[in-house]
Each structure stands twice: as structure tokens, then as C-alpha cells.
Amino acid sequence: CVCLLIFCSACNLKMIDSNKSKVNQDPFIIMERTACYGTCPQYEISIYRNGLIQYNGTAFVDRLSCFQSFLHASIIIDIQLYLESINFFQLDTAYLSPLTDLPSVITEVKLNNKTHKVVDRLNGPIELKYIYSLIDSAYVSVIEWEKCENSY
């Protein structure tokens, strides 16, 4: 009982202090959708291990600027397990197309003391495309957003 109380107290303190701690930690995953010669949505989503999600919309999106919220722990776990299941760190660093007017998706993962960045301009494998879907659905699952304290 005492252990459970200590655990719950620690979790609450972590959530209360999460805005301060985000400055001292790196996100474990960042996904950026880049510009094209048209009206492609441009934004970046960063997800932290403590559940913090930050979104920064820059062009052709409904929400411009930096916003943040928190994700349920199960979403964080699902993303991490999927990254491990597809051996994300074994993927190529670039999947490029000769067409230069296409947007790219840049995904960077920092997990288990490893870092890997993948640039995908059209030709990435389906497993990589599913990561984008997981991250975008995490963004959509958030009900309440607040403006970032230190907006970009």
C-alpha cells in the first residue's frame, strides 16, 4: 500500500513538473512534414517519454504556432513497440524521389541510447508510412491543447 502511494505521488509530481522537465530532455520521436511547391501541410510533432506532445504548425494547417498537451501512456508504448517491431534503426537514412517538388517526412527517433533519422520523399517502405499514421493519430487524439510557453 505504501509503495503504491509513493508510486502514485511520484507520477503526479512528474505530471505537474512535466513542462519544466521538457526543457531538460529530448523528445524520443520527432516527425516533420516539409514544404512542397503547393499547399502541403507543414508541421512538426515532438513526443516525449513523459507523455508531452508538442505540435508546431508552420503553413497550410488549421493550427499555426506551437501547442502542447499530454498523451496517454498507452500511446507512447504503442509507438515505441512499433518502432522496435519494424527495426526502425535498421531503416535507410533516406528514401528519395527524383521529383523535387514533393514534400518529405523527416522522422528522428532517440530510443535506448540510439538515434536514427530517416528522410522520406515518397519511396519509403509501408512500415515507415505507418509510423506517420501513428503520430498523426496521436495528435488527433488530443482534446485540449495549450499554447507553448516558449513558442518557436
Side-chain angles (χ1 to χ4, degrees):
C1 237
V2 172
C3 290
L4 183 59
L5 181 61
I6 292 170
F7 176 76
C8 290
S9 297
C11 288
N12 286 338
L13 287 175
K14 186 174 182 180
M15 292 301 286
I16 291 169
D17 195 38
S18 61
N19 282 339
K20 294 177 186 170
S21 66
K22 75 175 169 59
V23 176
N24 298 327
Q25 66 173 286
D26 291 326
F28 84 87
I29 189 164
I30 301 170
M31 181 185 80
E32 176 186 2
R33 292 191 182 268
T34 66
C36 66
Y37 290 126
T39 57
C40 301
Q42 297 168 47
Y43 59 91
E44 181 177 289
I45 296 174
S46 301
I47 301 175
Y48 296 75
R49 283 179 193 80
N50 67 354
L52 178 69
I53 180 172
Q54 286 188 322
Y55 165 88
N56 187 34
T58 53
F60 307 109
V61 291
D62 292 337
R63 182 169 293 163
L64 293 172
S65 192
C66 182
F67 294 86
Q68 63 188 23
S69 190
F70 284 93
L71 296 172
H72 192 274
S74 65
I75 294 173
I76 305 296
I77 292 168
D78 287 346
I79 293 171
Q80 289 178 343
L81 288 174
Y82 184 74
L83 290 167
E84 290 171 6
S85 77
I86 65 162
N87 296 314
F88 179 83
F89 294 97
Q90 303 305 313
L91 294 174
D92 291 343
T93 57
Y95 297 94
L96 303 177
S97 165
L99 304 172
T100 57
D101 65 338
L102 296 174
S104 293
V105 180
I106 303 167
T107 310
E108 184 172 3
V109 174
K110 296 176 183 179
L111 196 60
N112 301 326
N113 295 317
K114 295 187 228 171
T115 300
H116 189 59
K117 186 178 197 176
V118 177
V119 177
D120 178 12
R121 188 181 332 126
L122 185 68
N123 293 326
I126 191 80
E127 295 86 2
L128 185 59
K129 310 264 187 228
Y130 186 69
I131 293 170
Y132 315 151
S133 167
L134 281 174
I135 295 169
D136 283 333
S137 66
Y139 165 78
V140 171
S141 75
V142 174
I143 296 170
E144 290 186 35
W145 289 95
E146 64 181 41
K147 193 98 161 126
C148 298
E149 290 177 18
N150 300 324
S151 288
Y152 296 85

